Amino acid sequence: MCMELQLGLALPGSDTWSRPLLKLGLYEDINVNSKKRGFDHGYLEDEFSAASFKNYEKGLVGWPPVETWRRKKLRCQVHNHMTAAENGYCGGRASNSTYVKVKMEGVVIARKIDISIHQSFETLTTTLMTMFDIFDENRRSFKLTYQDKEGDWLIAEDVPWR
Amino acid sequence: MHKKMAFSFPDEVLEHVFSFIQSDKDRNAVSMVCKSWYEIERWCRRKVFVGNCYAVSPRMVIRRFPEFRSIELKGKPHFADFNLVPDGWGGYVSPWIEEMAGAYPWLEEIRLKRMVVTDESLELIAKSFKNFKVLVLSSCEGFSTDGLAVIAASCKNLKELDLRDCEVDDLSAHWLSHFPETYTSLVSLNISCLGSDEVSFSALERLVGRCTNLKTLRLNRAVPLDKIANILRHAPQLVEFGTGTYTADVRPDVYSDLAGVFSSCKELKSLSGFWDVVPDYLPAIYPVCSKLTSLNLSYATIQSPDLIKLVSHCPNLQRLLVLDYIEDSGLEVLASSCKDLQELRVFPSDPFGAEPNVSLTEQGLVAVSLGCPKLQSVLYFCRRMSNEALVTIARNRPNFTRFRLCIIEPKTADYLTLEPLDVGFGAIVQYCKDLKRLSLSGLLTDRVFEYIGTYAKKLEMLSVAFAGDSDLGLHHVLSGCESLRKLEIRDCPFGDKALLANAAKLETMRSLWMSSCAVSFAACKLLGQKMPRLNVEVIDERGPPDSRPENCPVDKLYIYRSIAGPRFDMPPFVWTMDEDSGLRL
């Protein structure tokens, strides 16, 4: 199984486009994640070393090279059923930093994810499940929570995406 | 003998001859012939182009060209478009506006790209230049609709207001109403970047109605589909039009109204916009499709069949921007329908998805390269590529001048052979002898750079990411590419050796950007010390570079030639290496 995963890594352009089976522990899962995210091989050697942690923390900024305004305009299109006036999020200056730290219970390493590239809880949850390698059948046992300004932990899906 | 002939022409004659020479490059060449030509030329240059606002100071420009009417300035490095340049880096236009406001009451045109523009600057422009005609702000930021309101209110002769891809603070929806009722000179208006509620429809309609010379109108997303008909009715003479949101409940009366009004636009050659597009309303534009030369569907999230239908109606298309929803099948139709196609840009609909959501591969690009004999400029995002395809593309289309390929996953090998894509890109540079711009992606070794250094003699701009094995790669490019002006590199194992060995080359280029590479702080200092005409800037948000060992790689490096010396408007995370101290804060 370990060998399969390694092969999966070496063949990024496989015809079948199928993801390798994820049946092993955290280490192998990180391998697969780093393949998908295109991270430095240094990460595979020692996921706890400061350099690779930082690399992972930062994510792959500016890649693929799609201009920020183009990304924003495309993302905003999911809200096409809202009137223009409601959709203040898409208007005006957006803060540059849309990265959010995500931590999974029981996992040492927190991940960072760019919120601005997601249009709904669906895609955000799917990406997070992939990042932390939670399989479909286990999905339901995980809940997405966020910390508000007062420091309270609330369930994310209770509020609208905006 | 020849010297005598040169002086025998009166200045006025030379000036008249020079007036036919518009291109910046030619003008620069003319000014280098002899001192008297330099003098005559500088007095009659009307358009000044400054490719890097920090390469020269405003005062130097004004001193040399006392009578220019139009200026174009560029600020931040290109990679700023992808968030690689931290906020606050620089590119401020205010020193330029302030200097020109004093010296040039007759300035007519200002074109800025990737610069920070404030409302104060906009106000100063409005106040200082009585005959101001053209304001083009491309990828700029720092201003609000308040600044626009002042421009609208004061610039009686304004012809062009083009805000493309800017980040504008929305403070008031009514800035458009500041154009006085007597104002009628608008020829071009592009407000497509404005946010949701930054436009007042009635003011817009009235403005469009009274500006009978309006040729270009690009609306923003806030303008709904049912308002477009009214606007177009007031401006059937439009040549370029950008819709707002192209969605509405499907109603036959709205549809026929729209289709009718489009049919009356006999001059329309370019369409854009199409946010939130509903396919049912697309046929409304069919009446104008046969004349269209430019179509920007890069925000249109419609699927391949609808795109194919649309594209098949546009036989005269020269420029197409589209999302990868078009798929290989759509590109094949494009290849057979649009024989005049010159420029194609295919953007990713789901750039961060791990797996392809559409069937767009290298085949689409191969088809277009084969079917479109005039194709010279390509920007293509895809998820797989092969050397075979690239070689075919290069052979099919040796007339490429711009070839930008982005294989979404970094370091992706040839999907057929699992080899690096060196040979494929090598073919591109070998066959396309007039290639001016190239962006690389995929798995690449030093070999591709050897090909580039050997063959890409006309290459002016090169973008590299996640490629190469060693300094040799960078060395090939710097030593071989004779026409290189701009080089931008990220995440490559290029270090000190190639950079220092080719230091002199850097003075012949506009700029070099290197981020997440292996250039040490020591090398940066050395370069800054050795090369006084280069500004060597280290960008590092981790803190001062001298708080780490000298051989530690810097985070980001931006080197550009300058006769203005080091700049003084740097934020705390930018350090310039200069000859005095090696480190200046």
Side-chain angles (χ1 to χ4, degrees), chain A residues 113-131:
Chain A
I113 189 164
D114 185 354
I115 283 273
S116 68
I117 61 168
H118 289 279
Q119 303 98 336
S120 67
F121 285 118
E122 264 304 303
T123 63
L124 177 62
T125 316
T126 307
T127 306
L128 286 174
M129 294 293 176
T130 307
M131 261 184 156

Side-chain angles (χ1 to χ4, degrees), chain A residues 19 35 61 63 70 77, chain B residues 276 299 355 408-409 490:
Chain A
R19 283 166 33 192
K35 169 248 171 192
V61 179
W63 191 268
R70 188 172 291 282
Q77 297 216 50
Chain B
D276 322 304
Y299 300 107
E355 294 172 17
I408 290 177
E409 182 70 27
R490 63 165 292 174

Side-chain angles (χ1 to χ4, degrees), chain B residues 196-211:
Chain B
S196 309
D197 25 342
E198 289 163 20
V199 132
S200 129
F201 305 138
S202 52
L204 182 60
E205 271 176 50
R206 282 199 312 274
L207 180 66
V208 170
R210 63 181 185 270
C211 295

Side-chain angles (χ1 to χ4, degrees), chain A residues 10-15 17-19 34-38 41 54-55 58 60-74 76-80 84-85 87-88 90-94 96 114 117, chain B residues 81-84 87 139 141-142 165 167-170 192-193 195-196 198 221-222 275-276 298-299 301 323 347-348 351-352 354-356 381 383-384 406-410 412-413 415 418 465-466 490 542 555:
Chain A
L11 296 168
S14 139
D15 270 328
W17 294 106
S18 61
R19 283 166 33 192
S34 52
K35 169 248 171 192
K36 280 204 285 264
R37 296 294 241 156
H41 289 308
K54 182 187 188 255
N55 204 24
K58 267 196 157 179
L60 220 45
V61 179
W63 191 268
V66 178
E67 300 105 329
T68 30
W69 63 82
R70 188 172 291 282
R71 277 208 257 154
K72 278 188 207 150
K73 279 179 178 170
L74 251 175
C76 284
Q77 297 216 50
V78 184
H79 306 285
N80 61 6
N87 198 6
C90 288
R93 292 178 70 96
N96 235 14
D114 185 354
I117 61 168
Chain B
D81 287 354
F82 315 126
N83 268 341
L84 285 173
D87 256 2
S139 314
E141 47 159 1
D165 305 316
E167 273 211 40
V168 185
D169 251 340
D170 56 347
S192 55
C193 65
S196 309
E198 289 163 20
R221 205 160 155 256
W275 284 287
D276 322 304
S298 61
Y299 300 107
T301 51
L323 286 169
F347 294 99
F352 304 103
E355 294 172 17
F381 284 81
R383 285 187 154 88
R384 76 177 199 200
C406 179
I407 304 166
I408 290 177
E409 182 70 27
T412 302
Y415 79 98
L418 304 179
F466 306 101
R490 63 165 292 174
R542 296 173 295 180
D555 185 22

